[in-house]
Amino acid sequence: MTAIADPRSPVAPTRRTGPNLEKWGWIYMRASGVLLVVLIFGHLFVNLLTGDGIHQIDFAFVAGKFATPFWQWWDVIMLWLALIHGANGMRTIVNDYVTHNGVRRVLVWALWLAAAFLILLGTLVVFTFDPCIGVTQDSSLWDMCQSVAG
């Protein structure tokens, strides 16, 4: 015979209030996964299958891509989605396998801090990239940088 919990009992389960973060994390994983497939295959198609394929990828190719806002935003969106998707997946693994609450909390905080740092750093690199910094007269980029500088 099973016992039914008395709702007036101090050990009765309580209902959480506020947003269901696990549900939103689950939805984010599905939506970001679909978007990442599109972004990654678009990235691979442009970089590997158009033009000279893999032979075209060098510093100048990357500098040319980062010179256009479309590719800057493409790469930043891909970076943000991938890092948050990965951190959320790691958070799920930590929640599943780490039993000590203090250790779990520290690991989850470390995951989000690392993801935030990499997002910040990656976004700064994409939007502040300047291929002419440090170019000297003996560099193959000298003429291009001189024409851009005016």
Side-chain angles (χ1 to χ4, degrees):
M1 188 157 131
T2 59
I4 299 174
D6 181 6
R8 295 168 295 182
S9 170
V11 293
T14 58
R15 197 160 175 84
R16 286 185 78 182
T17 59
N20 185 347
L21 295 179
E22 288 299 323
K23 178 183 85 169
W24 288 109
W26 184 88
I27 290 170
Y28 176 82
M29 293 300 275
R30 273 62 190 169
S32 67
V34 170
L35 285 171
L36 280 167
V37 166
V38 171
L39 290 169
I40 290 168
F41 278 107
H43 175 85
L44 290 173
F45 178 78
V46 168
N47 289 342
L48 302 177
L49 299 176
T50 60
D52 292 334
I54 196 169
H55 303 291
Q56 72 185 350
I57 299 176
D58 58 6
F59 184 80
F61 178 80
V62 174
K65 280 185 69 177
F66 281 171
T68 61
F70 176 81
W71 288 114
Q72 286 177 332
W73 281 106
W74 184 287
D75 285 350
V76 163
I77 291 169
M78 190 168 51
L79 172 81
W80 279 59
L81 287 173
L83 283 169
I84 295 170
H85 184 98
N88 193 36
M90 289 300 297
R91 180 195 61 83
T92 302
I93 291 170
V94 167
N95 285 340
D96 285 348
Y97 291 105
V98 178
T99 55
H100 190 271
N101 283 337
V103 174
R104 183 182 321 120
R105 193 171 299 122
V106 167
L107 289 174
V108 169
W109 268 98
L111 282 169
W112 289 120
L113 287 174
F117 176 73
L118 291 172
I119 286 170
L120 177 66
L121 190 63
T123 303
L124 283 171
V125 167
V126 169
F127 287 119
T128 62
F129 181 77
D130 184 359
C132 295
I133 292 177
V135 172
T136 59
Q137 285 184 335
D138 58 338
S139 171
S140 61
L141 294 173
W142 178 257
D143 293 332
M144 186 271 303
C145 288
Q146 293 304 307
S147 65
V148 171

